[in-house]
Amino acid sequence: MSEARVIDGKEIAAKVRADVAAEVKSLKASHGLTPGLAVVLVGEDPASKVYVRNKAAQTVECGMNSWEHKLPEDTSEADVLAMVDKLNKDKAVNGILVQLPLPKHIDSTKVLNSIDPDKDVDGFHPVNVGRLGIGERSLVPCTPRGSVILAKSVIPDLSGLNAVVVGRSNIVGKPMLQLLLQENCTVTVAHSRTKDLPAVVRQADLVIAAVGRPEMVKGDWIKPGAVVIDVGINRITKPDGKGKLVGDVDYADCAKVAGAITPVPGGVGPMTIACLLQNTVDATKMQHGIK
Ligand code: NDP
């Protein structure tokens, strides 16, 4: 059997960023608007610092304004809420992102829910969750949005496909369900209580794995020719003691059966920031009543 086509997330993310940059240019020319993204980082988490640096660099590369607000680890919840309130009121700021995880003494839900839903470029606010559920124009969580773009790069019309999403988190699995319903897929959402998961996944023309368990999805779970999108990012230690990033899908095993598959790294990962930039442009347009 031939190997699956590899879906190149880096290349597709670069295209999304180029489209964003073109839209930013045209918004400047037509409306005198420069979209702006403010990122709030509390504390010293090394991975968060890298994410925030990458987000800021790519925001600027696309021609947008970028602000980084770095607050010390011991900042009070009240001070973080005050910072969000200030950004909510700042007309130059179109998108607000509070980098997670927040230090333990801060209630993340309270902080995320204090972001103006129209500036909530992560799409986590209950108002945006509701808007997505009823099919209204909304800001959509970045990782599911990017996953759909990757699936459509192989099958432009997903209509009528059987899609199985493994995982039901608020940030990936549940918004994924809504987006795939909008694409007219027949969607099954599986989770830790699902009976005979391999048999459920075997029904899928499109598999989205967002489980957080290294290489859990095996080749004999995959219907021949199915499209496999691996959202998982897991750091494992190889027998030689070296670290390695792997997805929730056993890539080598599934690539023998699937029609197309995303690698880890280089699949869904790069799409997340690209979609954050797209969300910032979308937020700007929504705030100014631009279609
Ligand atoms: P969560 O831990 O919030 O959710 C995991 C989901 O998987 C839960 O719904 C859980 O079920 C389900 N699950 C766990 N074990 C099993 C099992 N054995 N069989 C079936 N279902 C199971 O994870 P996230 O959604 O936040 O993240 C999922 C993965 O995606 C992680 O690897 C994460 O690192 C990655 N990720 C990648 C991003 C990117 O940018 N590429 C962004 C966000 C996440 P139950 O609800 O029943 O407990």
Side-chain angles (χ1 to χ4, degrees), residues 14-36:
K15 196 177 168 307
V16 172
R17 289 199 303 275
D19 290 347
V20 168
E23 246 189 295
V24 169
K25 210 170 161 189
S26 116
L27 270 177
K28 277 184 195 170
S30 60
H31 293 79
L33 291 171
T34 303

Side-chain angles (χ1 to χ4, degrees), residues 143 167-169 171 191-192 210-213 216 231-234 272:
T143 302
R168 56 173 165 181
S169 70
I171 62 167
H191 45 79
S192 66
V211 197
R213 301 208 179 268
M216 187 183 84
V231 178
I233 303 176
N234 309 288
T272 299

Side-chain angles (χ1 to χ4, degrees), residues 139-291:
L139 293 167
V140 176
C142 304
T143 302
R145 186 176 185 172
S147 302
V148 170
I149 296 172
L150 293 182
K152 290 179 81 167
S153 74
V154 186
I155 306 179
D157 181 4
L158 303 178
S159 189
L161 296 188
N162 280 336
V164 172
V165 180
V166 191
R168 56 173 165 181
S169 70
N170 290 336
I171 62 167
V172 190
K174 286 179 193 157
M176 203 67 245
L177 157 69
Q178 298 296 352
L179 289 177
L180 292 172
L181 275 179
Q182 281 181 11
E183 295 292 333
N184 299 311
C185 292
T186 303
V187 192
T188 303
V189 181
H191 45 79
S192 66
R193 309 287 177 91
T194 298
K195 285 184 188 156
D196 199 356
L197 184 60
V200 173
V201 174
R202 235 172 260 131
Q203 302 300 314
D205 306 303
L206 171 61
V207 181
I208 314 270
V211 197
R213 301 208 179 268
E215 301 180 320
M216 187 183 84
V217 176
K218 301 296 176 193
D220 64 0
W221 300 20
I222 303 297
K223 178 165 144 180
V227 174
V228 179
I229 308 291
D230 188 356
V231 178
I233 303 176
N234 309 288
R235 182 165 289 281
I236 60 163
T237 307
K238 292 193 292 180
D240 64 6
K242 288 188 182 151
K244 187 187 176 197
L245 278 189
V246 297
D248 292 339
V249 169
D250 185 331
Y251 181 87
D253 203 24
C254 292
K256 292 179 199 147
V257 190
I261 188 167
T262 58
V264 176
V268 175
M271 295 300 289
T272 299
I273 298 184
C275 289
L276 171 72
L277 305 176
Q278 182 67 67
N279 276 356
T280 306
V281 170
D282 291 356
T284 308
K285 286 161 73 178
M286 281 195 255
Q287 287 154 27
H288 291 272
I290 304 166
K291 280 245 164 179

Side-chain angles (χ1 to χ4, degrees), residues 29-205:
S30 60
H31 293 79
L33 291 171
T34 303
L37 173 66
V39 178
V40 179
L41 173 66
V42 187
E44 298 293 326
D45 181 71
S48 294
K49 279 174 148 176
V50 174
Y51 289 141
V52 167
R53 206 181 312 132
N54 287 342
K55 283 169 188 170
Q58 294 188 27
T59 306
V60 171
E61 269 167 36
C62 287
M64 297 193 269
N65 291 324
S66 162
W67 300 274
E68 281 176 68
H69 296 280
K70 292 183 184 152
L71 304 174
E73 181 83 26
D74 61 358
T75 305
S76 70
E77 185 180 283
D79 284 349
V80 178
L81 290 168
M83 167 65 77
V84 171
D85 185 50
K86 192 171 138 228
L87 297 172
N88 281 341
K89 289 177 179 146
D90 186 340
K91 287 209 161 27
V93 174
N94 304 105
I96 303 170
L97 184 144
V98 177
Q99 183 66 45
L100 298 177
L102 287 170
K104 285 201 170 53
H105 64 279
I106 299 174
D107 180 345
S108 301
T109 307
K110 196 168 170 188
V111 171
L112 294 181
N113 289 359
S114 74
I115 297 173
D116 178 345
D118 291 341
K119 296 188 176 186
D120 165 42
V121 282
D122 257 338
F124 296 159
H125 193 287
V127 167
N128 282 316
V129 175
R131 285 177 182 159
L132 178 63
I134 58 174
E136 267 186 18
R137 192 178 186 194
S138 66
L139 293 167
V140 176
C142 304
T143 302
R145 186 176 185 172
S147 302
V148 170
I149 296 172
L150 293 182
K152 290 179 81 167
S153 74
V154 186
I155 306 179
D157 181 4
L158 303 178
S159 189
L161 296 188
N162 280 336
V164 172
V165 180
V166 191
R168 56 173 165 181
S169 70
N170 290 336
I171 62 167
V172 190
K174 286 179 193 157
M176 203 67 245
L177 157 69
Q178 298 296 352
L179 289 177
L180 292 172
L181 275 179
Q182 281 181 11
E183 295 292 333
N184 299 311
C185 292
T186 303
V187 192
T188 303
V189 181
H191 45 79
S192 66
R193 309 287 177 91
T194 298
K195 285 184 188 156
D196 199 356
L197 184 60
V200 173
V201 174
R202 235 172 260 131
Q203 302 300 314
D205 306 303

